Amino acid sequence: MEQDAPKGKLIVFSAPSGTGKSTIAKAVLGQIGELSFSVSATTRSKRPGEEEGVHYFFLDKKEFEERIENGGFIEYEFFFGNYYGTLLDKTSEAIDSGRHLLFDLDVKGALNLKKLFPLDSLLLFIRPPSMAVLQERLIKRDGKNSAGLQDRLERAELELGYAEQFDEVVVNDDLDETVKVVTEKIRKYLSTH
Ligand code: ADP
Ligand code: 5GP
């Protein structure tokens, strides 16, 4: 009997905003060639250095809501005043062609993805060393007077409460060490599943 072609796996990073997920993701993607970044859609505005189709697909609210209506998202959430969602067509296309994807999702999005792909997903929760360090990183990235700072810190407390539902938890203290540990965990998962 002919065997089904191997499907791509889903590796999901979740962490309170500012913990270092994107920084870690970039380094890990540089080390694991067979892993591609899953580009989400969002209605938030671009940060300096962000590119359309690379970091996000930037949609306006109307476009995003039309896609929701048309069943275009595997999952989506609304927080910090904006929508964020995983595009169905891009994800199915990658997985069906056997490509492994790395997702950067909030905790609810991550747990929803696990429900949809229980056997093919690895959920990694990345913790900041402390709330004080998280605040420093947010200020370093967005500036001290960023409008979203307080919202992000409040949401961080809530997200930290979900850590134990993840497959693995890693503390992002020293960046090089975190990248090493996370890369090893992903390699091990991909070679055994
Ligand atoms: P996230 O994607 O989780 O929102 P970012 O990757 O944008 O977070 O990181 C937030 C800020 O913290 C950035 O300025 C980044 O350079 C910095 N950062 C990330 N990891 C570390 C680390 N281990 N030590 C010090 N600074 C870090
Ligand atoms: P940021 O605005 O810092 O890029 O992202 C804010 C939050 O949105 C982060 O926690 C990030 O993981 C989450 N996020 C990004 N894309 C998606 C998505 O497609 N779905 C969900 N549920 N969360 C997302």
Side-chain angles (χ1 to χ4, degrees):
M1 205 171 82
E2 216 174 286
Q3 280 204 316
D4 287 342
K7 297 269 186 192
K9 304 289 175 204
L10 298 86
I11 310 295
V12 187
F13 285 0
S14 263
S17 182
T19 301
K21 276 181 312 290
S22 327
T23 310
I24 298 163
K26 197 170 162 198
V28 167
L29 287 163
Q31 302 219 17
I32 308 183
E34 66 265 42
L35 195 60
S36 320
F37 185 61
S38 162
V39 183
S40 292
T42 184
T43 56
R44 86 147 160 76
S45 29
K46 264 185 211 166
R47 293 195 187 116
E50 285 186 334
E51 285 176 49
E52 168 70 21
V54 175
H55 298 90
Y56 283 104
F57 294 102
F58 294 93
L59 305 181
D60 66 28
K61 196 163 176 254
K62 186 165 170 281
E63 288 167 331
F64 201 105
E65 288 176 344
E66 276 169 10
R67 288 219 184 198
I68 296 175
E69 286 288 306
N70 296 332
F73 292 104
I74 288 188
E75 62 77 36
Y76 69 91
E77 300 285 336
F78 184 84
F79 43 78
F80 307 141
N82 283 299
Y83 286 112
Y84 293 82
T86 305
L87 293 160
L88 175 65
D89 52 358
K90 305 265 177 215
T91 311
S92 314
E93 207 179 281
I95 292 173
D96 291 345
S97 64
R99 266 190 297 131
H100 306 310
L101 286 178
L102 177 63
F103 296 79
D104 172 344
L105 304 180
D106 88 304
V107 287
K108 291 192 182 146
L111 295 169
N112 281 333
L113 216 67
K114 186 82 183 176
K115 275 192 211 136
L116 293 168
F117 301 93
L119 301 177
D120 293 312
S121 58
L122 173 68
L123 300 195
L124 287 149
F125 189 91
I126 302 164
R127 291 183 73 101
S130 65
M131 286 300 287
V133 170
L134 179 64
Q135 179 163 346
E136 273 169 33
R137 289 184 188 166
L138 279 167
I139 291 173
K140 180 172 143 199
R141 187 186 67 192
D142 300 335
K144 202 174 175 68
N145 299 318
S146 128
L149 179 61
Q150 213 45 47
D151 286 354
R152 284 173 194 266
L153 289 171
E154 276 168 29
R155 193 175 165 87
E157 300 273 11
L158 184 141
E159 295 209 308
L160 288 167
Y162 284 81
E164 64 198 33
Q165 297 182 51
F166 281 64
D167 299 316
E168 302 273 357
V169 180
V170 178
V171 178
N172 179 24
D173 193 351
D174 176 75
L175 182 60
D176 291 344
E177 180 60 21
T178 306
V179 170
K180 192 170 148 231
V181 169
V182 168
T183 303
E184 274 167 13
K185 287 187 188 296
I186 297 172
R187 284 218 169 101
K188 187 169 168 213
Y189 178 80
L190 293 179
S191 67
T192 52
H193 287 75

